[in-house]
Amino acid sequence: MRAAYTPIEHRVRGLSDKAIAWLFIAPTMILLLAINLFPLIWTIQLSFTNYRANRPNAPLRNVGLDHYQTILSDPEIWQRMQATAHFVFWTILLQTVIGFALAYLIDRKFRGHGFWTTLILIPMMLSPAVVGNFWTFLYQPQIGLFNYVVSFFTGLAPSSFQMLGDVTLSPWAIIIVDTWMWTPYVMLICLAGLRSIPDYIYEAAEVDRASNWRQFISITLPMCLPFIMLAVLFRGIENFKMFDMVNLLTSGGPGSTTELASITLKRAAFEAWRTGYSSALAIILFVAVFGLANIYVKALNKVKAR
Amino acid sequence: MAEITLAQVSKRFGPVQAVTDLSLTIANGEFVVLLGPTGAGKTTSLRLVAGLETPDDGRVFIGGVDVTGLPPAARDVTFVFQQYSLYPHLSVFDNLAFPLRSPTRRTPEDEIRRAVGEVARLLRIEDKLQNRATQLSGGQMQRVAIGRALVRRPAVYLMDEPLSSLDAKLRSELRIELKHIQQDLGATMLYVTHDQTEAMTLATRIGVINRGRLVQIGTPRSIYEDPADIYVATRLGSPGINLLPRALFPTLEAPAAAATIGVRTEHLAIAKGQNGAVTGKVDWIERLGDQNHLHIDVNRQQIVSLVDPDEGLGVGDEVAVSLHKPLFFAADGQRVR
């Protein structure tokens, strides 16, 4: 048999296996380098300069770590970070709890099961721009449905509060919208987790006389945990970078109560045109997300390995 | 411990009739093995006793009590699944203690420790008690699963091919252990398998199931020697029983209805030479060390026979074939005597 074997490289135009492999990978590699790695390196480089994108011909000066120092010692930046953390924490908490609960409810056989799943998934399929726009209408104090429903149940006058215009309410307004939009996504991942638990484990527990509650605590939850953690990771990274929807709803206002880190970044880069400064901020945010995600993934792997 | 009775139980899954009119009584302390191929309805029968399925017709009694409509938790049963049904995030100890910690039992903690320790010793997994269930090998996992059934003292132990996922050596070890444990506890067991060796060695009685029906039930010896039909005869014996047309042995005395002669490999007498009533030619010899399987061509019919390795027969030898204890079957497969 061995003698009859002709290596592939002799058959394809004199190219070696390795060359062909590189040929196939090359387009993707070039694309990745061009749109991921190159901008990253350029951003790092710019973060050490006073470069302004609206004045490309101004003399370029190396400012060293000045931008980093300014940013990290700026109490306003820390306030934005706090707003971001608040947003990330509450959206993750609400989405995980509600998403898991929905998954748990939908993971049983009942009539119209597919219909309800599709219905629940709709918000996730909408564009954030659409969501931002129509929640602006829903939150409208005079004609908005949200204010109307709240007033219907609490007796408050509909126009007595403004979800998007109030300093204390606006952070919650964006949390509600994000939760509305992305809970289905968490539900979907949790549903995959629930479906991965084999029936016979529940049957064994039933024969062992475990109550429903005990089955939930000692089978459902632990076996679903890696999936839940994965959902938290995805939502955490996404919400740390949240920009489009919040920008449409509040543009960071009122004042700067809903100004998340990425909105600050956009303003510094494309309103104040402090390109060097905003590059430094972008790098700081990137390192923060990257570091946190890495620590989290380690924990996730530990849970998975159990 | 208790007696189990299935009375005319039937179960259907959509178009599939899984169990048909099954009646079976398992006496207290008896080890009954249900034997049959995949899809014969063995597992369904077991699940009906456990309460994991509800019968369409018929009743199930445990210890004289009608439990037909009761959930598994309300029946005093344990169940060992074919898959390792362990709680993966719990330690071996906690897995074994799981049934005892049920709120309806309220076993004191030192009693739990004692019971778990005892079962762990029995199954030789004492040194693994603190390990996570997922860190065990397949054999250890299945022993933990069996241990979880043994840690309680239920009315009946139900086992669904508990050894089929283990390797051959471990399977034979655990088989012996299981039989010892059952005898020591005086346990009532209903055990499902497609492995004839397990059935023969473990059972007080074997129930042979085919297409949802209990074809025959009896002691391993009676099932082997006195099968009710061709199906039962072919379920036991390795190599399987020789099924030969009646016409092949014209001089043999047989009932008028006999269409097929069944003869087990060890019931064939093979002698060198052509002096018998029926002769054949040795076609092929399988040498297994302690015994040889002789494939003999008799009038273009293959017969397999067990012979001593020292017999001195070779391929191409002419041999005389005579039968001991032949079994006769009618054209419809039923036994005729």
Side-chain angles (χ1 to χ4, degrees):
Chain A
M1 287 309 283
R2 220 157 235 288
Y5 172 72
T6 321
I8 280 173
E9 61 252 47
H10 293 314
R11 282 185 260 147
V12 186
R13 283 199 206 166
L15 283 172
S16 72
D17 272 6
K18 225 176 189 162
I20 292 170
W22 274 107
L23 218 59
F24 278 121
I25 304 172
T28 312
M29 291 292 275
I30 291 167
L31 210 65
L32 274 177
L33 288 175
I35 66 175
N36 277 353
L37 203 62
F38 169 69
L40 180 67
I41 291 168
W42 200 18
T43 309
I44 294 174
Q45 199 197 331
L46 286 178
S47 73
F48 299 117
T49 68
N50 67 342
Y51 180 72
R52 296 172 72 93
N54 61 341
R55 272 185 242 150
N57 297 323
L60 203 64
R61 191 162 47 85
N62 195 335
V63 297
L65 291 170
D66 276 8
H67 289 319
Y68 290 90
Q69 210 174 359
T70 323
I71 291 166
L72 291 174
S73 56
D74 183 352
E76 271 196 13
I77 291 289
W78 286 106
Q79 247 174 38
R80 310 288 182 269
M81 292 290 200
Q82 217 173 358
T84 310
H86 179 267
F87 176 73
V88 170
F89 174 81
W90 284 104
T91 47
I92 287 182
L93 185 72
L94 290 171
Q95 287 169 24
T96 309
V97 171
I98 302 172
F100 183 78
L102 280 176
Y104 192 70
L105 288 176
I106 213 120
D107 180 36
R108 43 198 82 198
K109 293 182 186 106
F110 60 90
R111 273 177 71 88
H113 159 279
F115 170 77
W116 287 108
T117 312
T118 313
L119 199 68
I120 292 172
L121 291 184
I122 285 176
M124 193 180 95
M125 302 174 195
L126 300 174
S127 142
V130 172
V131 171
N133 265 327
F134 84 62
W135 273 90
T136 310
F137 288 119
L138 290 175
Y139 280 147
Q140 227 284 332
Q142 275 85 35
I143 57 159
L145 193 65
F146 186 86
N147 283 40
Y148 173 76
V149 169
V150 172
S151 79
F152 184 83
F153 284 107
T154 60
L156 290 166
S159 51
S160 67
F161 63 98
Q162 298 192 332
M163 285 306 286
L164 297 177
D166 189 286
V167 179
T168 47
L169 291 181
S170 58
W172 295 101
I174 58 172
I175 288 168
I176 289 172
V177 177
D178 193 74
T179 302
W180 174 85
M181 185 171 178
W182 289 109
T183 297
Y185 177 79
V186 177
M187 181 197 86
L188 214 55
I189 295 179
C190 289
L191 202 56
L194 290 170
R195 298 259 160 93
S196 75
I197 305 172
D199 280 346
Y200 59 77
I201 295 214
Y202 287 114
E203 288 179 344
E206 216 168 299
V207 175
D208 285 345
R209 300 183 172 181
S211 60
N212 284 343
W213 173 244
R214 193 147 177 261
Q215 289 183 24
F216 179 79
I217 287 295
S218 54
I219 298 172
T220 312
L221 214 49
M223 292 188 79
C224 220
L225 191 61
F227 291 84
I228 297 173
M229 287 182 73
L230 208 61
V232 167
L233 177 69
F234 291 155
R235 289 315 306 149
I237 292 176
E238 278 297 301
N239 278 354
F240 200 88
K241 303 186 301 186
M242 168 54 66
F243 174 77
D244 39 15
M245 195 194 75
V246 173
N247 194 50
L248 267 161
L249 279 168
T250 66
S251 317
S256 56
T257 43
T258 59
E259 191 174 318
L260 306 178
S262 57
I263 295 178
T264 312
L265 183 63
K266 180 248 176 185
R267 285 188 169 165
F270 300 108
E271 285 171 24
W273 294 104
R274 299 169 67 188
T275 313
Y277 171 89
S278 57
S279 294
L281 180 55
I283 295 300
I284 289 171
L285 292 178
F286 168 71
V287 169
V289 176
F290 192 76
L292 287 174
N294 262 307
I295 294 168
Y296 187 85
V297 166
K298 285 224 168 74
L300 176 64
N301 284 337
K302 233 177 231 166
V303 170
K304 266 199 205 152
R306 288 193 317 190
Chain B
M1 303 299 126
E3 183 186 272
I4 315 296
T5 303
L6 292 157
Q8 281 120 45
V9 170
S10 295
K11 179 70 184 176
R12 164 186 285 280
F13 296 106
V16 182
Q17 186 72 41
V19 172
T20 311
D21 199 22
L22 175 69
S23 290
L24 170 67
T25 297
I26 301 146
N28 193 2
E30 203 178 16
F31 198 138
V32 170
V33 175
L34 295 181
L35 179 69
T38 311
K42 312 173 300 257
T43 300
T44 307
S45 310
L46 206 61
R47 291 170 64 88
L48 284 164
V49 176
L52 294 168
E53 307 288 352
T54 320
D56 301 332
D57 277 309
R59 323 282 322 160
V60 180
F61 299 88
I62 296 178
V65 182
D66 186 345
V67 296
T68 313
L70 296 181
R75 307 178 181 200
D76 197 11
V77 298
T78 59
F79 200 109
V80 179
F81 291 82
Q82 188 174 359
Q83 307 89 342
Y84 320 124
S85 57
L86 303 187
Y87 309 116
H89 54 284
L90 294 181
S91 70
V92 170
F93 182 92
D94 288 332
N95 261 286
L96 290 172
F98 195 91
L100 299 175
R101 288 193 172 135
S102 147
T104 51
R105 306 195 153 260
R106 300 208 172 280
T107 319
E109 201 58 29
D110 55 334
E111 169 65 20
I112 289 178
R113 246 193 305 279
R114 195 197 55 72
V116 169
E118 194 182 312
V119 166
R121 196 159 47 249
L122 208 60
L123 294 168
R124 287 180 277 132
I125 43 176
E126 284 165 292
D127 53 329
K128 303 285 180 208
L129 281 177
Q130 295 318 315
N131 288 30
R132 279 193 177 278
T134 43
Q135 294 169 335
L136 303 178
S137 69
Q140 289 164 340
M141 283 203 231
Q142 195 59 321
R143 274 188 278 172
V144 175
I146 293 170
R148 217 174 51 205
L150 297 178
V151 81
R152 273 165 53 187
R153 292 285 177 270
V156 59
Y157 297 86
L158 305 169
M159 302 204 175
D160 185 7
E161 310 209 18
L163 307 182
S164 64
S165 44
L166 307 179
D167 62 73
K169 184 171 173 289
L170 199 63
R171 199 176 337 165
S172 62
E173 274 178 28
L174 266 181
R175 201 171 60 214
I176 294 164
E177 269 174 56
L178 213 54
K179 183 66 183 169
H180 279 307
I181 291 165
Q182 186 263 341
Q183 280 174 341
D184 291 349
L185 299 175
T188 312
M189 275 200 198
L190 184 56
Y191 185 107
V192 156
T193 186
H194 62 259
D195 182 317
Q196 50 166 315
T197 318
E198 277 175 32
M200 290 299 286
T201 51
L202 289 172
T204 325
R205 282 193 299 158
I206 295 176
V208 182
I209 290 198
N210 186 26
R211 294 184 195 170
R213 285 179 188 279
L214 185 65
V215 185
Q216 188 179 3
I217 181 157
T219 61
R221 199 181 160 83
S222 73
I223 298 278
Y224 185 81
E225 293 183 349
D226 199 12
D229 60 15
I230 285 187
Y231 176 78
V232 176
T234 51
R235 286 311 305 172
L236 296 175
S238 173
I241 190 167
N242 291 297
L243 295 172
L244 306 165
R246 164 77 181 96
L248 204 60
F249 296 90
T251 56
L252 193 71
E253 232 176 89
T260 307
I261 302 169
V263 57
R264 298 215 178 267
T265 49
E266 68 275 23
H267 293 157
L268 279 162
I270 308 295
K272 208 165 181 171
Q274 284 183 304
N275 45 6
V278 178
T279 58
K281 206 166 102 185
V282 177
D283 226 17
W284 182 253
I285 302 175
E286 286 179 281
R287 298 177 202 282
L288 302 185
D290 59 334
Q291 52 177 262
N292 286 354
H293 292 170
L294 221 55
H295 294 246
I296 303 161
D297 185 323
V298 179
N299 255 340
R300 286 188 296 283
Q301 278 286 326
Q302 278 282 327
I303 299 180
V304 183
S305 164
L306 279 186
V307 292
D308 200 81
D310 303 327
E311 197 71 52
L313 288 167
V315 173
D317 284 356
E318 298 279 343
V319 288
V321 178
S322 54
L323 315 180
H324 297 311
K325 302 194 205 170
L327 305 168
F328 301 105
F329 300 98
D332 63 355
Q334 290 302 309
R335 177 89 177 278
V336 280
R337 292 162 208 272

